[in-house]
Amino acid sequence: MIRLDTSAAAPGMTLAKSVYTKEGRLLIDKGIELKEFYIEKLKKYNIDHLYINWNKEITPEIQKIITIETKGAVLAAIKDTMMNIHIKKEIDMQKLLTVVTQMIEELMNQGSILLNLTDIRSIDEYTFGHCVNVCVLSLMMGIALSYKKEDLQTLGMGALLHDIGKIGVKNEILTKPDVLTTVEYEEIKKHTSFGYGLVKHMKEVKQEISWVIRDHHERYDGRGYPNGLFGKQIHEFPRIVAICDVYDALTSNRVYRKGIPPHDAIEYLITMGNHQFDYDLVKIFLKYISIYPVGTFVKLQSGEEGVVINTYEDWPTRPVIRVVKDASGNLIKLTKNIDLTKQLNNGIVDILKAV
């Protein structure tokens, strides 16, 4: 099984994993042979990658991060929350607690919490899908930090609600298919204070949750908003959510731009460590995010091309590669694996759509 950009898919290929819509509805089942009609349908639904049967020895089965059912329940819960707070000025915290607890249990039941974010990404309805992704990433960090279950629940609910203030921003700004003007950017920055104002007097909303909503755009060097907090003045929960928020925003496709590759987003986080972000927390994030998901096509410094077949928590930038083409571009017949943790003079120089 290999991970393939939908743009590189061709009739005759067979799906190795089922494809679902953003709501969790089955779009095309695994085992189906792709036809041109199916490929166009996938593109119409903004499905940007697929898992294809190519050589069953290439990669092991990829473990789901959270189930389709859980993802659907979380998306429904955050949509209902946005609607209810806009109309009724209330939040069903019990519903959020239920879905966040379900996510925590599924994440903690995994033998490893090295995450392949592409398996949870929702391209459409960016705000809702973004909240779910940020929640999963934040919980991953909380688990890595050995948080107690109650703290994980609070962090998770804060992450789900972090952008709730966007209901106070004009829809034409939120959905603008172009870069925001200075005036529009100043308007969207108000979502942190607006969201905090919505929840700060709600008895059922813990103070730490309201801090996540207000402070997830504060920056470690004091150059964030709304209050210019810096360093440990910012509670650890919003410091965590800030990292996950920026990572998901950078790697997500938007109407006006395509998301950047995970390794470029990681490089940005590293560069901004102890400037925009708490670098100790960035290092925790780097340890558990899958920069090169299993099944990704890559090109090596040696000129060889291959497929990622294994990744390491402690070495996220140095996976194991099953070589498919030699440095001259010729397909190789004999199995050859390169473990980049053992070949430090070699490395990944590019991510490919296909080999």
Side-chain angles (χ1 to χ4, degrees):
M1 178 169 65
I2 56 173
R3 182 177 180 271
L4 189 72
D5 274 26
T6 304
S7 60
M13 293 180 174
T14 305
L15 281 177
K17 291 181 68 176
S18 300
V19 181
Y20 296 85
T21 66
K22 61 183 182 295
E23 298 89 0
R25 295 198 313 270
L26 181 65
L27 195 58
I28 305 178
D29 204 358
K30 66 180 180 181
I32 295 294
E33 184 176 301
L34 289 179
K35 302 183 186 309
E36 195 63 46
F37 168 78
Y38 292 142
I39 296 171
E40 291 305 312
K41 184 177 182 181
L42 293 167
K43 291 177 180 177
K44 178 182 176 182
Y45 278 89
N46 290 321
I47 305 299
D48 61 354
H49 74 277
L50 309 167
Y51 287 98
I52 301 294
N53 283 325
W54 178 39
N55 179 340
K56 64 184 179 181
E57 296 180 355
I58 287 290
T59 62
E61 182 61 33
I62 296 174
Q63 187 176 18
K64 290 185 181 297
I65 297 169
I66 56 173
T67 65
I68 294 296
E69 292 75 19
T70 296
K71 180 184 174 183
V74 178
L75 280 169
I78 193 63
K79 287 182 184 180
D80 289 346
T81 298
M82 293 280 198
M83 184 177 297
N84 287 337
I85 198 169
H86 189 63
I87 298 172
K88 302 178 183 177
K89 308 300 184 203
E90 63 183 26
I91 299 176
D92 187 344
M93 295 302 291
Q94 187 56 50
K95 178 184 285 188
L96 291 182
L97 177 62
T98 299
V99 295
V100 166
T101 301
Q102 192 172 342
M103 294 168 75
I104 292 169
E105 290 173 352
E106 291 187 12
L107 286 169
M108 294 189 77
N109 283 337
Q110 295 194 41
S112 167
I113 57 171
L114 183 66
L115 299 187
N116 173 5
L117 185 60
T118 56
D119 281 347
I120 59 169
R121 168 144 290 119
S122 175
I123 296 173
D124 292 330
E125 299 190 42
Y126 172 77
T127 296
F128 299 123
H130 173 66
C131 290
V132 177
N133 294 343
V134 172
C135 182
V136 172
L137 289 169
S138 299
L139 288 174
M140 172 269 294
M141 290 185 66
I143 292 169
L145 290 163
S146 300
Y147 278 3
K148 296 181 296 184
K149 186 175 182 179
E150 183 179 348
D151 288 335
L152 286 173
Q153 291 169 329
T154 302
L155 172 63
M157 287 189 286
L160 271 185
L161 294 173
H162 78 281
D163 269 346
I164 200 165
K166 286 186 176 178
I167 67 168
V169 180
K170 294 178 182 178
N171 195 55
E172 55 264 34
I173 294 178
L174 290 176
T175 58
K176 183 182 178 181
D178 201 352
V179 179
L180 298 177
T181 66
T182 301
V183 172
E184 290 167 337
Y185 180 61
E186 288 301 317
E187 185 66 25
I188 209 166
K189 282 168 64 176
K190 296 177 183 177
H191 78 278
T192 54
S193 297
F194 184 78
Y196 179 69
L198 286 173
V199 304
K200 67 179 180 180
H201 297 305
M202 295 182 181
K203 293 180 180 179
E204 66 273 23
V205 177
K206 289 185 177 181
Q207 195 173 38
E208 292 87 348
I209 295 174
S210 68
W211 290 341
V212 170
I213 295 168
R214 183 191 64 193
D215 298 339
H216 66 278
H217 282 286
E218 297 287 1
R219 292 297 178 251
Y220 206 65
D221 59 6
R223 297 183 181 182
Y225 63 87
N227 296 314
L229 301 178
F230 65 90
K232 300 301 170 63
Q233 289 181 341
I234 310 166
H235 188 274
E236 188 164 86
F237 289 0
R239 278 187 276 137
I240 287 172
V241 172
I243 293 167
C244 302
D245 178 39
V246 169
Y247 177 85
D248 188 67
L250 288 173
T251 55
S252 293
N253 292 336
R254 305 297 297 276
V255 175
Y256 59 88
R257 64 152 175 82
K258 187 173 177 62
I260 67 174
H263 62 283
D264 287 340
I266 290 296
E267 184 176 340
Y268 176 81
L269 292 179
I270 292 172
T271 303
M272 291 295 109
N274 282 337
H275 296 287
Q276 289 193 17
F277 311 110
D278 181 340
Y279 192 53
D280 288 336
L281 293 177
V282 170
K283 287 187 286 187
I284 294 290
F285 184 87
L286 298 184
K287 189 175 180 181
Y288 294 105
I289 189 70
S290 181
I291 302 173
Y292 302 109
V294 169
T296 302
F297 289 118
V298 295
K299 184 172 184 176
L300 302 177
Q301 284 176 263
S302 60
E304 296 163 302
E305 297 178 8
V307 182
V308 175
I309 62 169
N310 192 25
T311 55
Y312 299 106
E313 288 183 359
D314 293 328
W315 294 77
T317 63
R318 308 199 69 79
V320 180
I321 310 300
R322 174 70 54 82
V323 178
V324 177
K325 290 183 180 179
D326 62 23
S328 299
N330 301 312
L331 289 172
I332 64 172
K333 296 180 179 180
L334 298 177
T335 299
K336 178 182 178 181
N337 295 341
I338 295 179
D339 186 338
L340 292 177
T341 65
K342 298 174 182 177
Q343 285 196 16
L344 299 183
N345 61 337
N346 203 355
I348 294 172
V349 295
D350 199 8
I351 295 178
L352 308 173
K353 289 186 177 181
V355 294

